[in-house]
Amino acid sequence: MEIIEKAPAKINLGLDVLYKREDGYHELEMVMVSVDLSDHLTFSSLEKDEIKIETENSFLPLDMRNHIYKAAIALKEKYHIQQGVHIYLDKKIPVAAGLAGGSSDAAATLRGLNKLWHLGISQEELVALGAEIGSDVPYCVCGNTAFVTGRGETLHFLPTVPQRWVVIVKPRLSVSTGSIFKELPLHSLEHSNVKGLVEAIHQGNFSEMVKNMGNSLEATTITKHPVVAQIKEKMLQFGADTALMSGSGPTVFALCEKYSRAQRIYNGLKGFCDEVYIVRTLNK
Ligand code: C5P
């Protein structure tokens, strides 16, 4: 038997950091939306009791450092599984980009192996297991539009946002989420109004959504990597309804109601960065 799972990227329409917690993590308020830029994972049983991951992408470690491996081991240990699995990863989401690619692969592994091994684990349990693997994994288990709080493990589902074109631009550099959090000026942080954003989503009011979109990590990433600000500026010049960094960056996305605008941004940025995509927000 073969199971195929789609692992979509996410973008943050809002991200605010409230305070640093005693466990070293930061208390967050985020609005996450899935977009149609996806990895695909194919799971099949192996006779030998081992976890074998294969991919064409030569930059990814295929051992315990990989979130897919961590998810498979977590399931095997918790549910005493003594079967092997072969996992083929078709990687499309840029790595270390702020798009939760690794987290979405881990979440797809939890969902896929739940099916392959007939475990019957509930979504709530998969979310709890996901939180042990990484802060973005709980959201990625479920996808959709969500208001996410805590360290990333508390999910409140929201109405689907009005569907928009999303132009995603990833400059050629990687950002470590841990290093951005470490350098955050917590006392002088500019907070974004995530609660206002949530309210606007409930009302289905796109212009209010745009007004309240923001990312409290953006300024810190821009200080280290000014290209993020340059991309934002270009997107707005080319006619984006709004442009924002996703997660801890360095990916920037533009939202557009009209496809012609999205295409203008795509064409304008294509010469500036290698990795440019036009996708849509995902509706369930
Ligand atoms: O949970 P994850 O491994 O994805 O997080 C990567 C790093 O980002 C953590 O080691 C931590 O430094 C930082 N982080 C944080 N607060 C969060 C999420 C992540 O400080 N809520």
Side-chain angles (χ1 to χ4, degrees):
M1 183 164 71
E2 216 176 63
I3 302 283
I4 299 175
E5 281 289 323
K6 180 167 154 170
K10 64 85 186 156
I11 53 173
N12 291 94
L13 300 188
L15 191 162
D16 191 26
V17 183
L18 303 187
Y19 55 87
K20 187 166 183 181
R21 311 181 343 173
E22 290 196 346
D23 63 6
Y25 283 90
H26 293 76
E27 188 70 16
L28 305 176
E29 281 184 347
M30 302 185 277
V31 170
M32 317 265 235
V33 172
S34 299
V35 294
D36 200 8
L37 170 63
S38 304
D39 295 342
H40 285 87
L41 290 88
T42 307
F43 305 88
S44 49
S45 297
L46 282 182
E47 294 220 340
K48 199 168 157 206
D49 185 4
E50 63 175 339
I51 298 165
K52 203 167 170 196
I53 306 171
E54 273 189 289
T55 179
E56 306 295 315
N57 186 312
S58 52
F59 297 108
L60 292 173
L62 300 177
D63 52 20
M64 199 53 197
R65 288 167 297 170
N66 189 310
H67 274 28
I68 295 174
Y69 198 95
K70 287 183 194 164
I73 281 283
L75 275 180
K76 274 172 77 67
E77 286 180 354
K78 181 145 195 206
Y79 296 93
H80 312 291
I81 310 293
Q82 285 164 349
Q83 290 177 46
V85 62
H86 179 271
I87 306 172
Y88 178 75
L89 168 66
D90 178 13
K91 189 81 197 154
K92 293 283 188 301
I93 306 173
V95 177
L99 296 169
S103 303
S104 195
D105 292 345
T109 302
L110 295 176
R111 292 193 305 266
L113 293 182
N114 190 25
K115 291 177 195 160
L116 187 75
W117 292 335
H118 305 289
L119 300 176
I121 306 170
S122 68
Q123 184 164 280
E124 289 72 29
E125 281 176 89
L126 292 183
V127 164
L129 207 56
E132 292 170 23
I133 299 163
S135 305
D136 281 342
V137 181
Y139 164 76
C140 292
V141 166
C142 311
N144 266 326
T145 306
F147 176 44
V148 182
T149 59
R151 199 193 112 203
E153 76 284 13
T154 310
L155 312 174
H156 316 262
F157 292 101
L158 296 174
T160 305
V161 292
Q163 204 173 34
R164 289 293 180 271
W165 294 102
V166 186
V167 186
I168 288 178
V169 177
K170 153 82 174 34
R172 196 185 292 180
L173 52 101
S174 301
V175 166
S176 143
T177 304
S179 75
I180 298 299
F181 274 108
K182 212 176 280 173
E183 288 172 35
L184 266 190
L186 280 175
H187 297 294
S188 57
L189 197 66
E190 217 172 284
H191 292 279
S192 66
N193 183 7
V194 181
K195 292 212 171 71
L197 174 62
V198 168
E199 189 54 39
I201 292 174
H202 276 297
Q203 292 164 357
N205 185 335
F206 184 68
S207 58
E208 273 303 305
M209 271 175 56
V210 165
K211 273 190 219 152
N212 288 303
M213 278 173 57
N215 181 341
S216 300
L217 302 179
E218 199 179 67
T220 301
T221 305
I222 285 177
T223 304
K224 290 174 77 140
H225 306 292
V227 68
V228 169
Q230 290 168 12
I231 295 169
K232 270 189 76 165
E233 211 172 292
K234 283 179 190 292
M235 285 174 158
L236 294 170
Q237 278 167 7
F238 286 121
D241 295 341
T242 187
L244 194 68
M245 188 182 83
S246 185
S248 55
T251 298
V252 186
F253 65 90
L255 290 189
C256 305
E257 190 164 2
K258 291 198 187 109
Y259 182 68
S260 56
R261 290 272 177 94
Q263 209 160 25
R264 202 158 85 198
I265 297 167
Y266 177 91
N267 291 336
L269 270 297
K270 193 67 191 153
F272 191 66
C273 288
D274 301 333
E275 289 189 87
V276 184
Y277 308 87
I278 300 186
V279 295
R280 300 215 82 180
T281 48
L282 274 182
N283 275 346
K284 215 169 196 176

